[in-house]
Amino acid sequence: MVYERIKEIISQQFHIDEEDITTETSFREDLNADSLDLVELIMALEDEFEIEVEDDVIEEIITVGDAVEYISKIVR
């Protein structure tokens, strides 16, 4: 469920089909996300899941799978 919700947000933010998003999708390499894109994405995820992502963790979230894993640990 977390994965599906994250895919929806990414699809909207980056204007791509959800089918093109996998857990291996890299934000920078595959989606060409710059720093502003990543900040906006993190803010959208924080709003959606009602969480706060720590600044030091943001640098560790490289792929969609990383985001799913991190959020899944917090949201239960």
Side-chain angles (χ1 to χ4, degrees):
M1 176 139 174
V2 170
Y3 177 52
E4 295 303 320
R5 289 166 65 190
I6 291 175
K7 280 183 19 175
E8 286 177 36
I9 292 169
I10 293 170
S11 173
Q12 292 170 359
Q13 293 240 330
F14 292 94
H15 308 290
I16 61 172
D17 291 330
E18 287 184 39
E19 296 81 33
D20 295 334
I21 301 167
T22 69
T23 56
E24 290 83 30
T25 300
S26 167
F27 293 111
R28 291 193 187 272
E29 292 178 21
D30 298 321
L31 301 178
N32 297 315
D34 61 20
S35 296
L36 180 58
D37 293 328
L38 294 175
V39 168
E40 290 174 347
L41 176 62
I42 294 296
M43 289 173 49
L45 293 173
E46 288 176 332
D47 288 344
E48 176 68 25
F49 293 100
E50 299 179 353
I51 61 170
E52 186 174 330
V53 179
E54 300 297 327
D55 290 339
D56 59 326
V57 173
I58 292 173
E59 295 175 10
E60 298 173 11
I61 299 176
I62 307 298
T63 66
V64 173
D66 295 337
V68 171
E69 183 179 335
Y70 176 76
I71 292 171
S72 294
K73 289 179 185 177
I74 297 172
V75 178
R76 299 190 187 238

